[in-house]
Amino acid sequence: MQRLVLSCCVVASLLAAREAAAACPVGVTWPAADWPEALASGPTVAAADEYLFTLTGRDEDREGIRTDGVVIVHRGRVIYERYARGYARHNRHLAWSVSKSFLNAMVGVGVGRGALTVDDSICDHYDADGELCDITVGDLLDWGSGLDWNEGYEDEPYYLSSVIAMLYGIGSGDMAAFVAAQGLAETPGTIYRYSSGDTVLLSAVLAGALGPDLADDYPWEFIFDPIGMKSAMFERDQVGTYVGSSYVYATPRDLARFGYLFLRDGCWDGQRIVPEGWVAASTQPNPSFQMGKSYEHFLRDGDAVPGRHWWLNLPIPELAHERRWPAAPPDTFAGLGHWGQTIFVVPSADLVLVRTADDRESGFDQNRYLELALTLAAEDSP
């Protein structure tokens, strides 16, 4: 099937702007040991406090909006920071599927070092054979492996869920092997299917490409240490594979560092961390998605468009897909995780938003959240 060509002029202009920004940015603020602060005050702050931190009923009932922490960074300075429900600045928080965006960056560094390419077969770096060798690194980044997978969570019967079996059940000992054992349901690269399994298999492929000297330490050498994420933790399964789908922990301030890395095109304090072009390639609609086929559960009205382990605010008219967050500019992209974990990056507003939470219901309005943050940023502008 021929891949769809995006007709929307805004997409072309965004990509052209990103390509023009290949060099590391200069004249911007970089956090040292901690973020500089320029904390906002006034009615917008009060409105943000009320929307983000007003509990519905008793905390133990787990109803409504349940924010644990928010950090908003504008022009390299923290302009808003709040915590609740027993959390404070120093507390790590589970990022859930925001972890997938971290793995994207780590793969990017591996590609930049020449350890692998997006066109490599997974069998070049992982012990698989047969039809699985048709899967490429790029297919896994696109959630387009074609592997048989059910990403159902607690709202569906647990015994049908591949991801629950992988994280907590029969697959938890060797998660990548469990994923590979599911076999192909579709031709790789021809259909989009959001899958934590693809991400965990990608983590094992990356470790295989890096070899034993780096397989244990690459999250710190590639990303956490260079950008000063001192709070970062990354869980592994019993055979040592980093659970890239789900298990990065960090404080909101350190999660903001990661968002800031991507805001600055993969650079940190004048040094390129993620290879040139990687951020741009990761924040445009991924090729498997553009094929126009998708499992319905993961392409619903109002869903964000998937990039490569990031989520985008771009419209795709050919797929009748509108912008997910109309209050935000179209260049907005995000790492999104279960129960309300988010890192939003808004390059045109020089803005990074981090929210950690325990939302057990679906009532949180990300568009309203972005609207409040963009108002705070506008009020902060010189």
Side-chain angles (χ1 to χ4, degrees):
M1 182 187 299
Q2 185 175 4
R3 297 180 190 261
L4 295 172
V5 177
L6 300 181
S7 63
C8 185
C9 60
V10 69
V11 178
S13 64
L14 288 172
L15 295 179
R18 288 173 183 169
E19 290 169 2
C24 286
V26 297
V28 299
T29 299
W30 298 97
D34 208 348
W35 288 99
E37 296 181 1
L39 295 173
S41 60
T44 306
V45 169
D49 289 348
E50 181 179 8
Y51 181 68
L52 292 167
F53 290 97
T54 300
L55 282 174
T56 300
R58 300 180 305 168
D59 184 48
E60 56 266 31
D61 292 334
R62 294 180 168 179
E63 297 175 349
I65 296 170
R66 295 166 49 77
T67 303
D68 295 330
V70 171
V71 170
I72 299 176
V73 175
H74 182 231
R75 295 189 290 122
R77 302 127 55 244
V78 172
I79 63 168
Y80 181 93
E81 183 174 26
R82 295 286 189 277
Y83 300 95
R85 301 184 55 255
Y87 283 87
R89 179 185 295 188
H90 63 275
N91 293 126
R92 298 181 181 92
H93 202 288
L94 178 58
W96 285 115
S97 285
V98 175
S99 306
K100 294 178 170 71
S101 300
F102 278 89
L103 190 67
N104 161 286
M106 294 167 191
V107 172
V109 177
V111 169
R113 293 190 178 198
L116 74 170
T117 77
V118 295
D119 296 322
D120 287 355
S121 164
I122 67 168
C123 295
D124 293 339
H125 310 294
Y126 180 76
D127 186 15
D129 53 26
E131 62 183 7
L132 297 190
C133 294
D134 292 335
I135 303 171
T136 68
V137 171
D139 291 332
L140 294 178
L141 280 167
D142 294 342
W143 296 308
S145 69
L147 288 165
D148 193 9
W149 193 259
N150 183 326
E151 188 73 12
Y153 303 124
E154 61 271 7
D155 293 335
E156 299 182 18
Y158 71 89
Y159 52 85
L160 298 178
S161 171
S162 306
V163 66
I164 289 175
M166 179 186 74
L167 293 176
Y168 308 113
I170 60 174
S172 60
D174 186 343
M175 296 188 191
F178 173 79
V179 175
Q182 304 310 299
L184 290 182
E186 305 284 348
T187 302
T190 67
I191 190 166
Y192 164 75
R193 186 178 198 170
Y194 177 77
S195 168
S196 291
D198 279 11
T199 306
V200 168
L201 184 55
L202 179 61
S203 183
V205 169
L206 175 59
L210 296 174
D213 290 343
L214 276 175
D216 289 339
D217 299 328
Y218 72 83
W220 283 265
E221 180 166 331
F222 284 8
I223 299 296
F224 297 152
D225 286 348
I227 68 174
M229 288 188 62
K230 296 185 181 300
S231 70
M233 295 175 58
F234 201 171
E235 284 192 30
R236 299 197 276 185
D237 67 10
Q238 293 177 30
V239 299
T241 300
Y242 285 103
V243 187
S245 64
S246 312
Y247 287 161
V248 168
Y249 298 75
T251 64
R253 280 188 167 227
D254 275 357
L255 293 172
R257 287 174 178 265
F258 180 65
Y260 201 69
L261 174 70
F262 269 67
L263 177 71
R264 300 303 183 211
D265 192 44
C267 292
W268 196 263
D269 200 11
Q271 301 296 313
R272 179 158 291 285
I273 307 300
V274 178
E276 181 181 318
W278 188 264
V279 172
S282 298
T283 55
Q284 57 182 296
N286 79 46
S288 293
F289 180 77
Q290 292 180 70
M291 296 294 287
K293 293 174 62 182
S294 174
Y295 281 77
E296 183 177 359
H297 181 73
F298 300 110
L299 181 58
R300 299 162 293 192
D301 290 342
D303 278 1
V305 169
R308 286 189 150 174
H309 280 52
W310 287 90
W311 299 93
L312 317 180
N313 199 31
L314 297 175
I316 302 185
E318 293 86 350
L319 299 181
H321 213 76
E322 302 298 325
R323 283 168 50 196
R324 171 64 179 84
W325 305 293
D331 65 348
T332 302
F333 59 95
L336 303 177
H338 200 42
W339 291 339
Q341 321 318 312
T342 57
I343 300 176
F344 280 99
V345 180
V346 190
S348 58
D350 204 349
L351 191 64
V352 173
L353 298 69
V354 170
R355 178 175 181 259
T356 57
D358 185 37
D359 295 338
R360 304 303 177 100
E361 297 179 338
S362 58
F364 184 73
D365 186 347
Q366 293 176 341
N367 198 58
R368 172 63 173 151
Y369 169 48
L370 283 160
E371 185 178 44
L372 287 164
L374 286 161
T375 302
L376 286 170
E379 294 171 351
D380 176 61
S381 296

